[in-house]
Amino acid sequence: MAIIATIPNENDVLFGRGTAINAHPGNRRFRTMVGAQKQQFFEEKVRKKKRAIATNIMNAINDLQPPGRFLTEDHSHSSKGQEGNGSLDREGADNVGNVHPNILNKTWICVDLGKALSKTLQRLREKKEVIQNPTLNSGSGQKLGAEESADVAAARQSPIISSVGELKHRQSPTDSIKSSLAFADLISDDVSKSPAQCFPDTHQSNTPEILSSDASSLSTQKLCGLGDPEAEAREGNILDEEVDAFLRHFSAQHDSDETLELRELTLQEWMEKSKPNPGESGNVLEYIRSALPIALKLTKCLVAAEKDDQIGRGNPIPLASIATANVSIRVKELVLTGTCVGEVQEAIEHVWITSCVGEDSRVTSRLFALGVVLYELFSPDLLLQEDMPTFDATSNSLSMNSINLKNKSNSNHRPSKKSQRQLSISESNISQCTARLESEGAPSSICALIRNILDCFNGDFCGDDAYKSFADLQLDLQLMMNDPSRFLDNIEANPMQPLSICNKLYGRENEMNRLGDSYLLRIDGKCSGVIIKGGAGIGKSVLAMHVQELTSQSNGYFSVSKFDQNKDVVPLSTIGTSFNSLCDLFVQDATPTQLKSVEEALDTALTNQAGLLAGVVPSLKKLMPSCVMNETSSSCVDSARVMRYLFGKLLLTLASHSRPISIFVDDVQWADSASLLLISALLSDTAGCSSVFFTFSYRDDDVSKSGPFNAWLSSISMFSLEVIELKDMSPDSVNNLVSDSLHLSPRITRPLASVLHHKTRGNPLFLRQLIESLKEQGDIYVDLSRPRWSWDLNKIMDMEIYPNVLALLIKDMRGLPTDLQLGLKVASCWGSCVKYSIVDILSEELKVDLVDILQQVSKRGFMINISDAAMFRFTHDKIEQAAYELMSEQQRREYHIRFGLALFANKLSNRTGNDELFFAAINQTNSGGPTAVYKPGKKSIIAGLNLKAGRRAIDLSDYRTAFKLFQHGISFLGDGHWTAHYKLSLDLYDAAAEAACVINNRDAVTNYSEQVVAHARCYDDKLNCLCSATKVLMNAELLGESMESTFAILVQVGEDLPRPLGDNKLNDDIQVMNGTLQNMSDDSILNMKEATSERNGIVLKLYSNLILILQYHNPSLKGAVSLRMVDLTMKSGLSPTSPVAFACYGELLANIGEITEGCRLGRLALKLLQKRDLTAHTSSVIFYVYQTILWASDPLQFIADAHLLGRKAGQQSGDFVFSNLNWHLSAVVSYTAGSDLNTVRENIGAYIKEVQRLNTRLSAGFMILSVLLHSHVVVLKEGLHVLDMDHIGDIPTHRGLLVKATGNPMLQLLTKITRLVRAFLFRQLDDISENADISDTIAKNKQQLCPLYLFGVFFEGLASFYLAREKTNEAAKWIKKGESVLAKMRGLSEHSSWNWENKMLLLEAERMYTLNVDGAACFYEKAIRSARSAKFVHEEAIASELAGIFYCDTGLHQKSSQLLLHSVRKYEKWGALAVARRVEGFIESLYGSDITQWGAGDDALEHIFATSQGSSKKRQVIG
């Protein structure tokens, strides 16, 4: 494909250098645009957004006239016109404007978008506040070439940034070096430029030929960017952000102006000015560190040349050229001109070889030649010819002139520059060179490096440690630079330096990148967190802790918690610990304003249940000082659900008022069920939240095929969690770990690492433990003669291969002294950690100094003494497991019982109320089990303690832990316990049955209930268990069985079975009760005495549960049940269920027409809730009162809001059934009240998804209704075609639900209502006629009235009058039906004009219009005004449309068109866009497409609303 050349215009951006290009208008504009965006670019932290800034600049240049382009000179063409293979694009030839003639004389082509973007990004990264006046000091007069080859440009994009140098801080260029820091390229213009081109403002000078004149030859001045992949993988990659951070820090430290200078000098010149003065031994190591960048870059230069030779793009640097005299250096100097005048910051920029003469030679020869250069470089003293011993190489093929390398002289003056000579070196003097370096204070690592590279002189006969390639040398030098303390500094021999294994990840780069990417996705709400899985000791926790670094970079909060295997102490304490830490972090960091804001938010979110959460998260009191810790959760229906709700609200509140939050939960496979449910709830509550990030880790080799954890693991698949699996380390990764641990090059440690990988299979924990074990055995040791770590490879190869790390650990532990083994055994009985307070108690019990023992254990690496947390912790769970397996099963049980009783004794003697100590003690005794207790009296005591612990667990909202504790208590009951310990046995079995009911363990409830029924001494003792048995049937959604079971219990306690509505005896009893209640004031009822009968309390609980069952199974019996509940309340006094009784009885009265008295009792029920703080029943009472009573008096909008409060109350009390029912009704009533359909759709959709997640039959009926309503709302918005769809997004439609609704009167009625509303709004005559019998259906099924039913009745009235006009032969029937509906609305409007007046007025207008009676126009206008006043936008739209039709029929077309257009606007405001389009079509059919002549002005609307200006509707409230 031919290259198309082009002519630059004044808007183009030109690549290159020189005054003409720098002054080009397009380049000046480009720099201005970049400068304007730099601040935003620096502040932006997301790489994609940084890239977007650069893209916007490019787009802005392209949008200029003429369009700007990014051009570069085409050197493949002649510079005299457009000759060669390319063609000329004349675009822009007429817009050359102010383009310099020198530019027009060159051939230009467009660069690709990637290169243009790269240039723009590089310009944006430049720091003008640091580099204000860049100038170039030519130094020795040499400058780099104008262009850089493509492969070098690519190399500069490699992970190792080519311009990283060693920053030397000194007072003046000639003073001693003060420090050495890695420093990135301060000025990087474009990846395709040479370093000299980074300064386009400088003048060009002639560039001498370097290495070769061949165009394909690679200039070594640019080769320092090419690195070995292994070195690059381990190098600390200096990214743009790190450079920016350094520059910001540098700028802050120096309040001054800086001038950047580039200088070139020879290696000899650099050594003369940099080497320390004779006698300054303290600066030797500092000098060597400053020389390392030169050695590394020189080696990279040679590596790159070899690579070019391998791919046929150049030749390796000849042997004769590898000499000190041929090495040149470019350094950067920042000369401070402000407050720190004279200070210079120096960085080694580039190193290259300036001549290329001689013939090629083998690698070992060139390695040796480089070794001579490095020997001279690293020698702290300048070497003279007469000071050098002679090397004789007569027997070697390498022939060079001689240099005498003798001991240095004692002169104190600076020696003169040594002339470069050719040399000939023999092997016998290599040791003299290294000995000289050692005597001058050079580190042993440098001496070894020089020895191993000079040994290359011997070619094939060199030692095993000799270098084989430049790449190996490059890696060693890179390691010395990156980690000098490990690879450069000497090993301490006195005292002996311990073997230190780095606690970092090896070979996990991909996993860390995935973790980082997931954390970034959190910002957009696309990722909730990660799950890290893998075997034991694989490094999951270490990888997960990388999130802490990411969170710290985001200035966020990080908390961590860890589950122990069967060692949980306080219920929910693991998650509670994490939240406790978050509260502490927030309090430490927050301002008083933030603290006040959070306190107010938490008061609103947690209400009176905050004290319950404070029991698990004590630091919550720091955020809510007024919070009082609750001792019990008796005000909750399901305290576990309450706790999940409270945790979620706390997390969301903190996330919305603070920095990003990251939560790491380790070893989730050992979490209890309550904690797993809590974690799922937190994931659900924070889904899509950009401020919260979760990290979970679990062992995939410790998970059984079934169980709570696997169920949890499957359930969280719905959340956006990235799964990261860790495998064993590769051989290379093992070698890197061994290399780091032994402070040796990977090429030296590779044989040892290969053996270790074979024996450990690459498991990190196994590997670390094996290295420690080998060191203890002396198989890995320090060789003092070098000094360095060494090993006996043959002995290690022959040693036994352990099957796993556990076996190795047990073997090592059995070799410990007896007292240390005892300490490990005792500590392992307590899980992964043991607190100081427990250690003190056990020391007294065992009569040993356990603290001292565990400190010795910690010194050996098995445990960690964490003084800040006052605990000893095992360094890994496998170590804990190994210590535990040192004991026999019987010894474990005896220890557990002994330790548990010791803690109980201490707690009793000190009278402490410490929950943690109490649960720790009970956990120990239960781990021991009843077989380890030999005295019956002790068994009954432990059984009673388990009963106490279980009740405390219930107070802390953990029924699953409570159930386990009750089971343990029962297991400690001896034979004949029903006789010997009747009360204790009854309490334990009752408590176990109740807890099993809450966690929905039906089999356990049945088992324990049968035991109680069989052994109870009276029927009253059976009631609690029997209640649990009926409740668990209801929880299992076996409503019929639950109802029959409840009836059976009620008969046994002497209660009559409920009678259906309409029963004469029931009617009489209702009248009697009404008379009683009407004679009592609200205050007298509110101040009634408290009930004291335990039996009546249980009966009322049974009736309260029965009410909910009858709601679904037999609604006609609800009235009798509510009457009996009120009767028991009036006779025995107020109880927690009294508000439910009055609410349900008020519903009964409203249903039989006693609306006023029903509203009074409904409000009385709400007052009882407030006065008695009955949180457990708030949600159910709100449901009953507003769904069945107060709709008759309160505005529908208020009813919808009240149900939302009911939902929140249910969440706070754990009443998920009524919480979801209130949520559903809030959406339904919002629809009937004319709320925006988009909002209604969103709320209904969220409800449907929640019900689908819960998958409960109790909500199934309401779920089907919600699906019907959701489909209906979408039809109104989008059109009738939706009826043919099976799904709307991920929500099913109404299709197929009619089969499910068969036999369910409620669902059949709701289906009929939605069909009628849809048919009327879309004027579907046949469907209107088929479904206009709502009132008859309600009466037939004796269904209680509610807002949605009455909404259907209202549309039945509208449909009736519409059908009377359309079907004149049936007019009488439809008019009669319409007038019946009108009468109902007239009666309802007497109780609430807000809700029902506009409906009554519209129906009256329709009746008059249908009967052709005068006055219809007046009622239409009143109906429109009333709907607007009540904020019923949908009914204002309907009334306006019907009025428009009426005026059209009467010939008032101006009014008609105005009202019809008004209805369109109101339908659109409601969200019923499809209905609005239908009305628009109707208008066009009447008045044509252009109706401006009819719809101009709003005279009709002004007339209608004139009387309502400045007035407001008065709402009628009953009661």
Side-chain angles (χ1 to χ4, degrees), residues 442-450 467 480 484 487-490 743 787:
S444 59
S445 58
I446 292 293
C447 297
L449 181 144
I450 295 299
Y467 286 99
M480 291 179 183
F487 292 100
L488 179 63
D489 299 346
N490 288 332
H743 299 208

Side-chain angles (χ1 to χ4, degrees), residues 210-235:
I210 300 177
L211 284 183
S212 173
S213 60
D214 186 354
S216 65
S217 178
L218 187 61
S219 299
T220 57
Q221 61 183 351
K222 306 163 228 173
L223 293 177
C224 59
L226 292 170
D228 180 73
E230 185 174 6
E232 292 171 1
R234 303 185 64 194
E235 184 174 2

Side-chain angles (χ1 to χ4, degrees), residues 531-545:
I531 300 177
I532 304 172
K533 67 176 184 177
I538 206 69
K540 302 180 297 297
S541 300
V542 180
L543 176 61
M545 292 303 289

Side-chain angles (χ1 to χ4, degrees), residues 228 278 331 366 639 659 713 963 1053 1063 1079 1203 1206 1285 1318 1337 1386 1412:
D228 180 73
V331 298
R366 287 185 287 114
S639 57
R659 305 167 178 176
L713 203 58
F963 177 62
V1053 297
D1063 180 87
N1079 289 326
H1203 282 303
M1285 298 169 62
R1318 182 176 67 241
T1337 304
R1386 187 176 289 114
N1412 199 20

Side-chain angles (χ1 to χ4, degrees), residues 254-267:
H254 303 281
D255 184 16
S256 61
D257 297 329
E258 300 88 16
T259 301
L260 181 69
E261 294 184 355
L262 289 185
R263 298 197 308 107
E264 293 179 5
L265 63 163
T266 65
L267 177 58

Side-chain angles (χ1 to χ4, degrees), residues 114-115 118-119 122 125 148-150 152-157 188-194:
K115 192 172 182 180
S118 177
K119 180 179 180 70
Q122 292 291 344
R125 292 189 184 105
E148 186 172 55
S149 61
V152 180
R156 294 194 51 172
Q157 295 174 338
S188 179
D189 193 353
D190 183 73
V191 295
S192 66
K193 288 186 176 183
S194 65

